[in-house]
Amino acid sequence: MSSAQIEIQLIASLVAVACAIPGVFLVLRKMALISDAISHSILPGLVIGFFITHDLNSPLLILMGALSGILTVVLVEYIQKTKLVKEDTAIGLVFPALFSIGVLLIAKNANDVHLDVDAVLLGELAFAPFDRLLINDVDLGPKSVWVIGTILLITLSLLIAFFKELKVSTFDTGLATALGFSPIVLHYGLMSVASVTTVGAFDAVGAILVVALMIAPAATAYLLTNDLKKMLILSIIFGVFSAISGYWVAHWLDASISGSMTTMLGLVFLVVYLFAPNKGLISVVYRNKQQQKEVQLLTFLLHLNNHKEESERHINHLNEHINWHKVKAKSVVELAEKNNMIVIDNQIISLTEKGKVFTEKAIDYIITNDDSKIESMKKDFFLFRG
Amino acid sequence: METKYAVTVDDLTVAYNYKPVLWDIDLSIPEGVLMAIVGPNGAGKSTLIKSILGIINPIAGSVSVYGKPYDKQRKLVAYVPQKGSVDWDFPTTALDVVMMGTYGSLGWIKRPGSTQKKAALEALEKVGMLPFKGRQISQLSGGQQQRIFLARALVQNASIYFMDEPFQGVDATTEIAIINILKELRKAGKTVVVVHHDLQTVPEYFDWVTFLNVKKIATGPVKEIFNDDNLTKTYGINYKVSVQQ
């Protein structure tokens, strides 16, 4: 690996981590679309900042970009408050307008600089190592590393300091207000972090990948955990993994780095969506099938439990009275027999002791939703895993 | 002896888009009562609670809690929002939600520690939810979620409790469990204010009642003012047949 390659991967990973953190909260606050809006509408701010400083690396650009990001949020909320349109419509109104102002500004005044629309949308990570930070002729590495590194450091400190405030205001705005944690301050704090991160990251990876890096890792992590801290950690892992593997895919295909990274983010989500242990598609389909079978089994056992008379417990009775299709009836009987819950004697089915205990515990659980007595059954039966 | 008031509301007016939702409300809530706020849909019951707690800004009027503005007295007040106001798919556990009740006493930045955890576990025990402490909150039934919210308020160890429809969508067992806890709170000298929908249970559960329909219709002891006259004034239809005293 050349040092430029290492630097590109380092920048990509820093960007991924910096995006994943605000991304988790955006996803949980159902504000994923806002990141898309911010990523586009920072453009006029950047262009105006560039006109003022004539320096693409000035911190003023980041500030102006972030300000126009926050302006987007303010405008969206203002339009939404008029109740004339819903939030998604308000977002769709605001950011294309701001973005196109940026496009016009570039076309009229800045045609000959690196700030062109392609670079804004897709970024150019491959060039990032060429732009070095030099102090007294000492090479301190690519500027992007310092910019995004600083942003990440600020984001991390804010996250650690205000984790509990962010959590409570994301989960329950009303309670957060009543307890004295101003949700508005937290909301705009989060929007500012998202805006600054977007500006800091967009030069390296472009507006489209910034959105992907914010939303996809969080959405993927959401499928895997029920714990906010773990969700943050998993998002970071998915983001960094997609960034680095995306870089190598681009290298191998000789294609766009940001395009490959975004593809990897999509692939990681797809894999997790299919295979996640609880919320994954395959597991959901399998569980539904199993639960269906278990409910049938329980219905059957309950029937046996309720009827002492032999006529009700004859093997052919299942089809006649419970009105189950023959095949299903057969599979339920087989399942019950396999689990030693019933014995069949001369075509008459009786519950075993185990079957009786199982039926009673199951009914008790379904009525009370108290799972302390059924711990041992959770392993074998989906029905009892909540 | 002069009555001590836990909460006093003066000339409170709240409007959404210039349409008044609450109009010139004067209300004094005596210390130690278990009070129901009743009124038809859209009467402003939740809005009243939210305005008292500073969640909604009124266009006029003032609220005081034990003689001082609410934001100076936050620690004396606990709040149970409507169950439907939060996303129960949020990645967190029952215990963690109850711990949120302790955040107010911690203030900004400081984190909950073992003292807060112990208090949360005790509150879970009180509402009979200790076995579910590690459960993801979406895996709880509606009644259990309501109990978690109640535990979160209990852990605040407040003097005044505001509850927005705590009996909505809960089964009979949970309803009885909740009302028993509320009665215990009153016994301990706390003031409890509940937005309530089921008129049949008002005389049985509460000792104080406020009738509300944009304006305040009446407030006072259930025994004295919970009658057909006030019900009719509040709901606009004759209640003689539907409510048995």
Side-chain angles (χ1 to χ4, degrees), chain A residues 167-177, chain B residues 81 85-86 100 149 152:
Chain A
K167 182 164 72 179
V168 68
S169 75
T170 302
F171 174 61
D172 190 342
T173 329
L175 182 78
T177 319
Chain B
S85 67
V86 304
M100 287 179 193
F149 260 15
R152 190 177 70 175

Side-chain angles (χ1 to χ4, degrees), chain A residues 28 30 160-162 164-165 167 170-172 174-175 177-182 222 226 228 369 371 386, chain B residues 55 70 74 81 86-87 89-92 96 100 103 107-111 132 135-137 139 144 152 156:
Chain A
L28 289 177
K30 302 177 179 61
I160 291 166
F162 299 110
K164 115 176 166 285
E165 288 78 3
K167 182 164 72 179
T170 302
F171 174 61
D172 190 342
L175 182 78
T177 319
L179 293 179
F181 303 113
S182 165
Y222 188 63
N226 290 325
L228 182 55
N369 201 19
D371 61 357
Chain B
I55 298 170
Y70 171 72
R74 282 184 207 284
V86 304
D87 176 11
D89 284 326
F90 192 82
T92 190
D96 201 41
M100 287 179 193
Y103 289 3
W108 288 85
I109 298 178
K110 238 178 164 183
R111 286 158 191 238
F132 302 91
R135 261 279 174 111
Q136 209 276 323
I137 51 173
Q139 313 274 318
Q144 290 171 330
R152 190 177 70 175
Q156 287 181 254

Side-chain angles (χ1 to χ4, degrees), chain A residues 297-298 300-302 304-305 336 339-343 350-363 377:
Chain A
L297 173 70
L298 199 58
F300 168 58
L301 294 176
L302 191 60
L304 293 179
N305 202 28
N339 280 291
N340 297 323
M341 287 172 177
I342 53 165
V343 282
S350 316
L351 275 180
T352 60
E353 198 50 41
K354 187 187 168 199
K356 253 186 211 146
V357 172
F358 174 85
T359 314
E360 274 154 23
K361 275 187 179 171
I363 306 273
M377 285 147 65

Side-chain angles (χ1 to χ4, degrees), chain B residues 7-199:
Chain B
V7 179
T8 323
V9 176
D10 282 314
D11 310 324
L12 186 82
T13 300
V14 177
Y16 293 141
N17 290 332
Y18 310 110
K19 187 176 167 267
V21 189
L22 287 176
W23 209 325
D24 201 23
I25 305 290
D26 289 307
L27 176 66
S28 297
I29 306 171
E31 185 177 39
V33 296
L34 178 45
M35 182 176 99
I37 301 178
V38 298
N41 290 332
K45 304 183 293 291
S46 298
T47 307
L48 177 60
I49 287 191
K50 285 181 186 165
S51 316
I52 293 173
L53 296 166
I55 298 170
I56 290 173
N57 287 324
I59 56 171
S62 64
V63 173
S64 69
V65 176
Y66 283 111
K68 289 184 194 155
Y70 171 72
D71 51 359
K72 298 240 162 29
Q73 305 277 51
R74 282 184 207 284
K75 285 176 189 167
L76 297 179
V77 181
Y79 172 46
V80 178
Q82 276 186 30
K83 191 159 63 67
S85 67
V86 304
D87 176 11
W88 290 93
D89 284 326
F90 192 82
T92 190
T93 58
L95 176 62
D96 201 41
V97 171
V98 178
M99 296 270 279
M100 287 179 193
T102 67
Y103 289 3
S105 62
L106 287 166
W108 288 85
I109 298 178
K110 238 178 164 183
R111 286 158 191 238
S114 57
T115 324
Q116 282 74 23
K117 191 173 173 189
K118 204 174 141 242
L121 289 171
E122 277 169 19
L124 277 169
E125 169 94 78
K126 251 184 234 161
V127 299
M129 287 293 292
L130 200 54
F132 302 91
K133 65 179 164 137
R135 261 279 174 111
Q136 209 276 323
I137 51 173
S138 64
Q139 313 274 318
L140 298 168
S141 70
Q144 290 171 330
Q145 290 173 342
Q146 194 64 60
R147 287 182 197 217
I148 292 297
F149 260 15
L150 182 62
R152 190 177 70 175
L154 291 177
V155 89
Q156 287 181 254
N157 201 10
S159 307
I160 310 169
Y161 291 80
F162 287 98
M163 310 197 176
D164 204 342
E165 301 197 23
F167 302 115
Q168 197 186 40
V170 307
D171 55 24
T173 333
T174 304
E175 180 156 336
I176 293 165
I178 292 176
I179 197 65
N180 284 337
I181 290 169
L182 300 192
K183 284 180 174 168
E184 258 173 53
L185 285 172
R186 179 185 52 190
K187 226 184 256 168
K190 318 273 187 183
T191 310
V192 185
V193 179
V194 178
V195 170
H196 194 56
H197 257 300
D198 183 9
L199 294 170

